[in-house]
Amino acid sequence: MVWELNLWGSEGSLSLRPEDRNIEETIRRLALINAVSYEGKARKDSVLGRLLAEKPDLRTRVKEILPLISRVVREVDGLSLEEQRTIVQEKWPEELRKEKREEERVLPPLPNVEEYEQVVTRFAPNPDCVLHMGSARAIVLCYEYAQMYDGRFILRFEDTDPRLKRSALEFVDLIREDLLWLGCKWDAEYIQSDRLTIYYEYADKIIRDGQAYVCTCLPKKFRDLVSMKRSCPCRDLTPSENLQRWNRMLDGTYDEGQAVVRVKTDLDHPNPAVRDWPALRIIDPKRHPHPRVGEKYRVWPLYNFACGVDDHLLGITHIIRGKEHLTNQERQEYLYRYLGWEYPEAIHYGRLKIVGASLSKSEILRGVKSGRYKSWDDPRLATFAALRRRGIMPEAVRQMMISVGPGPADIVLSWENLYAHNRKLIDPIARRFFFVQDPIRLVVRKAPEEFMVDIPLHPDRPKLGSRHFEVNLRNDEASLLISRKDLPIIKEEEVVRLMELFNFRADMFEKDTVLATFHSRSYEEARNLSAPLIHWIPDGTGLPCRVVMPDCSSLTGLVEDDLRGVRPGEVVQFERFGFVRVDKVNGRPVVYYAHR
Ligand SMILES: [Zn+2]
């Protein structure tokens, strides 16, 4: 487990309703199954996670159920592993096979949930870029946990740096759009640039109480002193002297760079970056107007101050974020102590790297600005906009992040992990079409008759209907288009099957044409000869189609005419080619390649 669980201690009295009788039985089943997977000792957190997944309506009654789980787990743990296994084998034999596998998909419980009225989580982006996969874990975990406990999920825009991490209104909208696409709808929204007077109020208070001061030292001088664990001269000024300085920050007497509010910390703190950290600073409003509030404010809170104040005031109970924020927690805890606040539960997960994906915001911004990337949804990017355009389902992102979970270990994933989740979702529903990349002609002689075939749009879902093809003959010749890429598998004198049509034997290869002879009709015949299968479209049909690949290159070919009836946005499968998202069907169709 990632954190210490101290929610199991109290036994409490349980007010089970008559209709809840089977809850205990469910818990016993889950505990037994879990114990068998973990050498005879059931994990209470896993049992709870599984229980809530099975019976979501119990999410509001977690407190009530915990003591019951404790008791049942104790009983189950009292049995020997042999006894546990016998019971499971008898009652739920299928569970012995699938338990370990399913375990990974359930989030572990949050710590100390019972200490709060309602679980409140937040996602707090700076609207200075669109969202990308680097944010997926924070979003999905915060949202899912809020759902799991029937809590609230808050969206907070942190736009308090109009100079270096300048936000833009455009991104506020794009981020909202990304969250809605992910299916993570927020219960409340805040924008920090609306809240400046709140930050001023708390700055005023801690300066007044002598817990913060206004430092006018040159940054280098301050750093040198603090690295030697020595205070700068400003630290020892009286609160009223500091309040005067604070007012000079606000009224424009000080210019940008001349003064900063610092929160007092232990000067012996082992990390020099924590010592007397900066809380608010001046940004010249004329040179750096804010995109939302313009030149209205000249003093802006820094990250730790604004975030710390807001997490408390907005009632956040569980902060779920990357472990690079551990130092920020140490900084903010001083502020919380001074203001008499309790620091929320904080869960810091490990780093997540996706091989081959640039998750650097600055690189994305630079690349789009310079024109190296065409837009936010350039397929080379790992932005949600790009994933969306390529036909990655939001559910695939969600599932991948739930399987990653909130653990502290560093994790490396590949695009293929995401594709595997996506494939599982779209393979059962994506309609199939033939796409002939780089077409060449196949002329088949001695065809016995004209062919009319109906090929299902999905092999397992007849209800989706089918596509109709007619292969006409001139004399006894059938003329078809096949992909030049299939040439290597067509060998002279050997039989090849045209999928769902007939089998032929290649006679001769000319430039852009394969001459062949009809062999037979049935699939069984092809199978007996181990004939390779290729796809095709009738000569004279097909729409010229452009496929945009993940590296932003393009492939061209002909796609069967029925693609015209597909709505843009739908993900379909080009058989033997891969899944694509249809981007445009009017004129010359354009599709974006997702994956195999
Ligand atoms: Zn100073």
Side-chain angles (χ1 to χ4, degrees):
M1 268 309 292
V2 182
W3 46 74
E4 274 305 310
L5 282 170
N6 48 10
L7 61 166
W8 305 102
S10 64
E11 193 74 349
S13 66
L14 191 64
S15 53
L16 278 187
R17 304 161 197 171
E19 68 268 25
D20 292 339
R21 221 157 261 289
N22 59 3
I23 295 179
E24 185 171 338
E25 278 163 44
T26 306
I27 294 173
R28 183 163 290 108
R29 171 168 56 83
L30 296 173
L32 278 162
I33 291 163
N34 191 256
V36 167
S37 300
Y38 293 93
E39 289 162 2
K41 297 287 171 228
R43 304 189 323 180
K44 287 180 275 196
D45 51 319
S46 303
V47 174
L48 175 64
R50 294 292 302 270
L51 181 70
L52 294 182
E54 249 179 58
K55 296 181 183 293
D57 51 314
L58 292 180
R59 285 170 187 170
T60 52
R61 300 176 57 197
V62 171
K63 270 190 223 180
E64 201 183 323
I65 287 161
L66 291 176
L68 180 59
I69 296 183
S70 283
R71 176 163 66 73
V72 174
V73 164
R74 208 164 39 240
E75 285 168 23
V76 166
D77 284 358
L79 302 171
S80 70
L81 177 58
E82 205 47 49
E83 289 166 318
Q84 293 164 348
R85 196 184 293 278
T86 309
I87 300 171
V88 174
Q89 182 72 57
E90 241 168 51
K91 289 184 151 176
W92 315 283
E94 70 287 353
E95 295 290 345
L96 284 178
R97 288 187 294 276
K98 74 180 189 194
E99 166 68 11
K100 270 251 149 117
R101 190 160 36 89
E102 291 205 347
E103 185 70 28
E104 295 156 4
R105 275 188 243 136
V106 177
L107 289 175
L110 287 174
N112 301 325
V113 166
E114 79 288 358
E115 286 176 19
Y116 304 92
E117 274 296 302
Q118 188 182 34
V119 167
V120 183
T121 62
R122 47 81 166 170
F123 173 60
N126 179 351
D128 62 345
C129 188
V130 295
L131 298 181
H132 58 69
M133 279 300 280
S135 301
R137 196 173 183 187
I139 298 168
V140 170
L141 293 181
C142 289
Y143 175 79
E144 288 297 323
Y145 273 121
Q147 296 303 302
M148 181 165 157
Y149 291 103
D150 211 17
R152 278 155 52 82
F153 171 59
I154 287 177
L155 170 61
R156 183 174 77 219
F157 289 106
E158 298 191 338
D159 60 341
T160 62
D161 187 351
R163 187 176 45 181
L164 294 179
K165 294 180 175 171
R166 198 165 191 279
S167 61
L169 299 179
E170 172 196 10
F171 296 125
V172 171
D173 287 334
L174 291 173
I175 287 172
R176 289 185 187 128
E177 200 180 306
D178 283 341
L179 287 177
L180 290 176
W181 174 72
L182 271 175
C184 298
K185 200 168 179 312
W186 54 104
D187 299 297
E189 178 183 303
Y190 299 88
I191 303 190
Q192 288 189 327
S193 54
D194 287 340
R195 300 168 60 78
L196 272 278
T197 53
I198 297 171
Y199 308 130
Y200 291 174
E201 189 189 315
Y202 286 98
D204 200 277
K205 179 168 173 20
I206 54 173
I207 294 170
R208 204 175 285 276
D209 292 347
Q211 293 145 340
Y213 59 96
V214 176
C215 174
T216 56
C217 301
L218 290 172
K220 169 144 183 5
K221 183 183 161 202
F222 176 83
R223 270 200 307 275
D224 289 348
L225 285 169
V226 96
S227 69
M228 294 182 289
K229 304 181 178 181
R230 287 171 50 195
S231 65
C232 81
C234 322
R235 198 181 209 257
D236 297 326
L237 296 177
T238 64
S240 69
E241 285 168 313
N242 273 312
L243 280 175
Q244 277 177 14
R245 284 183 164 197
W246 167 238
N247 285 325
R248 279 181 229 142
M249 283 178 79
L250 295 168
D251 69 15
T253 311
Y254 289 132
D255 281 334
E256 184 174 309
Q258 288 185 336
V260 53
V261 177
R262 295 188 177 280
V263 173
K264 287 186 185 174
T265 68
D266 188 348
L267 283 178
D268 287 330
H269 193 285
N271 182 354
V274 171
R275 297 174 198 160
D276 284 15
W277 52 274
L280 302 101
R281 66 353 193 158
I282 301 166
I283 293 176
D284 185 339
K286 291 263 183 293
R287 276 167 51 216
H288 305 287
H290 189 278
R292 284 187 72 246
V293 295
E295 299 176 16
K296 194 169 171 190
Y297 302 105
R298 60 196 323 275
V299 175
W300 288 91
L302 283 128
Y303 171 76
N304 279 295
F305 189 74
C307 169
V309 167
D310 278 350
D311 280 343
H312 174 79
L313 295 183
L314 306 183
I316 309 300
T317 62
H318 291 75
I319 299 170
I320 304 159
R321 63 185 170 195
K323 67 183 178 190
E324 66 276 12
H325 284 285
L326 275 165
T327 309
N328 289 330
Q329 178 173 351
E330 291 184 47
R331 292 188 180 104
Q332 292 171 14
E333 274 169 345
Y334 285 96
L335 182 66
Y336 273 65
R337 215 173 302 141
Y338 297 150
L339 293 170
W341 296 345
E342 285 257 356
Y343 201 76
E345 309 294 328
I347 294 106
H348 292 101
Y349 49 71
R351 276 172 241 286
L352 172 63
K353 186 177 156 59
I354 300 175
V355 178
S358 165
L359 298 182
S360 149
K361 253 203 239 186
S362 55
E363 201 203 304
I364 296 172
L365 287 166
R366 254 200 323 273
V368 170
K369 205 171 168 195
S370 71
R372 193 161 87 77
Y373 300 127
K374 290 177 181 167
S375 54
W376 305 115
D377 57 8
D378 186 298
R380 288 167 289 186
L381 295 174
T383 58
F384 292 141
L387 298 183
R388 190 150 69 222
R389 191 143 198 203
R390 288 178 51 196
I392 305 296
M393 300 287 116
E395 183 62 17
V397 177
R398 209 185 69 87
Q399 284 179 6
M400 181 157 103
M401 290 306 146
I402 288 177
S403 70
V404 167
D410 292 347
I411 293 174
V412 179
L413 293 177
S414 70
W415 280 114
E416 194 42 56
N417 294 106
L418 180 61
Y419 298 161
H421 283 286
N422 202 52
R423 195 176 293 118
K424 245 184 260 168
L425 295 166
I426 59 180
D427 187 56
I429 53 171
R431 297 195 273 174
R432 270 60 167 168
F433 293 97
F434 285 162
F435 166 70
V436 176
Q437 184 189 342
D438 196 2
I440 56 170
R441 186 164 284 125
L442 170 72
V443 177
V444 183
R445 288 172 289 203
K446 300 188 182 164
E449 59 186 350
E450 308 219 316
F451 289 84
M452 298 222 270
V453 290
D454 291 292
I455 306 178
L457 279 157
H458 193 290
D460 307 326
R461 304 183 72 202
K463 276 193 186 146
L464 285 180
S466 54
R467 315 103 78 183
H468 181 74
F469 292 95
E470 292 184 13
V471 179
N472 301 316
L473 301 187
R474 194 150 25 138
N475 303 320
D476 64 348
E477 285 179 1
S479 185
L480 301 131
L481 297 169
I482 59 172
S483 172
R484 187 182 300 277
K485 279 184 68 186
D486 284 332
L487 273 180
I489 58 174
I490 304 173
K491 306 249 161 51
E492 215 169 303
E493 295 295 302
E494 284 182 18
V495 175
V496 174
R497 176 160 182 82
L498 294 167
M499 289 168 76
E500 310 275 349
L501 190 65
F502 60 69
N503 313 319
F504 69 86
R505 193 199 307 268
D507 301 322
M508 212 199 311
F509 296 86
E510 291 178 354
K511 186 177 180 295
D512 297 334
T513 306
V514 176
L515 296 174
T517 307
F518 181 87
H519 178 272
S520 53
R521 192 156 189 162
S522 77
Y523 171 70
E524 284 67 31
E525 188 98 18
R527 198 182 50 199
N528 292 339
L529 294 166
S530 308
L533 267 65
I534 64 172
H535 60 276
W536 50 276
I537 58 173
D539 197 358
T541 72
L543 308 166
C545 177
R546 184 162 71 91
V547 183
V548 180
M549 300 302 287
D551 64 359
C552 210
S553 65
S554 283
L555 301 176
T556 54
L558 289 170
V559 66
E560 58 183 83
D561 296 330
D562 281 10
L563 192 82
R564 199 69 94 192
V566 172
R567 281 186 328 279
E570 186 174 329
V571 177
V572 302
Q573 188 184 31
F574 283 178
E575 296 212 47
R576 301 179 60 243
F577 180 80
F579 293 97
V580 300
R581 179 188 155 280
V582 178
D583 203 60
K584 159 174 156 343
V585 286
N586 290 330
R588 184 182 175 207
V590 176
V591 303
Y592 275 63
Y593 185 83
H595 49 76
R596 293 258 350 152

